[in-house]
Amino acid sequence: MERVDDAFWMRQALALAAEGARVDDEIPVGALLLSAEGKVIAQGWNRNISEHDPSAHAEIVAMRRAGQLLGNHRLLGCTLYVTLEPCAMCAMAMIHARLARVVFGAYDPKTGAAGSVFNLLADPRHNHRIEVTGGILADQAGQSLREYFRNKRGKPLSTLPQPSE
């Protein structure tokens, strides 16, 4: 269920994604984590290319930083904002971290694990449930990704397939 401040926080995550693309030439995915009290406790962008680490997705980077700050691997009551639908790896890390809520921007029709390809966050077999809200500023998040890949591949935007939602 979308909340009043979801778009505000997603804009912050989009700014992180843009910074990651600009600073580290990473795929523009940004994430930020709010405490149960609504304070930003961690943020990150994709670092898997620059750190040579396949697990350094934006969500994982933010959750690692939050865990270090809190001194706990459990992120109880926290909300994660991320510009792209989480993959299976990130979704399972979110479940293990016991996040309260995940809010994402663009859907990922190839590897999305919050409803697009898999629905790991809602799987009733898990012992923890996460509230999920998807599609917040999806057009902006998707456009950022399309532009990044268009620039990398040197193709005009009109020739790239548009994501289905």
Side-chain angles (χ1 to χ4, degrees):
M1 176 174 148
E2 185 175 348
R3 298 184 186 163
V4 176
D5 55 353
D6 284 347
F8 172 82
W9 293 116
M10 189 58 67
R11 280 193 266 300
Q12 307 305 310
L14 286 164
L16 290 167
E19 188 169 348
R22 183 181 56 76
V23 171
D24 292 327
D25 195 25
E26 291 278 356
I27 296 170
V29 178
L32 60 92
L33 200 68
L34 300 183
S35 68
E37 297 75 36
K39 305 283 186 210
V40 176
I41 57 172
Q43 59 189 29
W45 57 70
N46 273 3
R47 308 258 328 134
N48 50 309
I49 296 169
S50 57
E51 293 186 4
H52 312 289
D53 179 354
S55 70
H57 290 189
E59 305 96 301
I60 301 292
V61 170
M63 287 189 292
R64 281 180 182 152
R65 290 177 178 167
Q68 291 165 352
L69 176 76
L70 298 174
N72 196 337
H73 67 289
R74 300 284 193 226
L75 304 173
L76 302 174
C78 292
T79 298
L80 180 76
Y81 287 86
V82 61
T83 59
L84 181 63
E85 180 180 3
C87 69
M89 173 186 68
C90 293
M92 290 309 299
M94 293 168 190
I95 290 167
H96 291 296
R98 305 293 194 262
L99 293 182
R101 185 168 183 247
V102 173
V103 181
F104 68 87
Y107 288 86
D108 185 346
K110 292 183 179 178
T111 63
S116 288
V117 178
F118 308 103
N119 203 354
L120 293 176
L121 294 177
D123 192 311
R125 293 171 289 188
H126 298 304
N127 63 347
H128 178 72
R129 304 289 179 277
I130 298 175
E131 180 185 336
V132 178
T133 304
I136 304 298
L137 302 180
D139 290 342
Q140 290 165 271
Q143 183 68 22
S144 170
L145 289 160
R146 285 189 296 277
E147 286 176 9
Y148 175 84
F149 288 114
R150 180 197 68 205
N151 290 333
K152 284 291 183 192
R153 296 174 181 142
K155 295 181 181 179
L157 187 58
S158 62
T159 65
L160 293 178
Q162 300 299 310
S164 59
E165 296 185 50

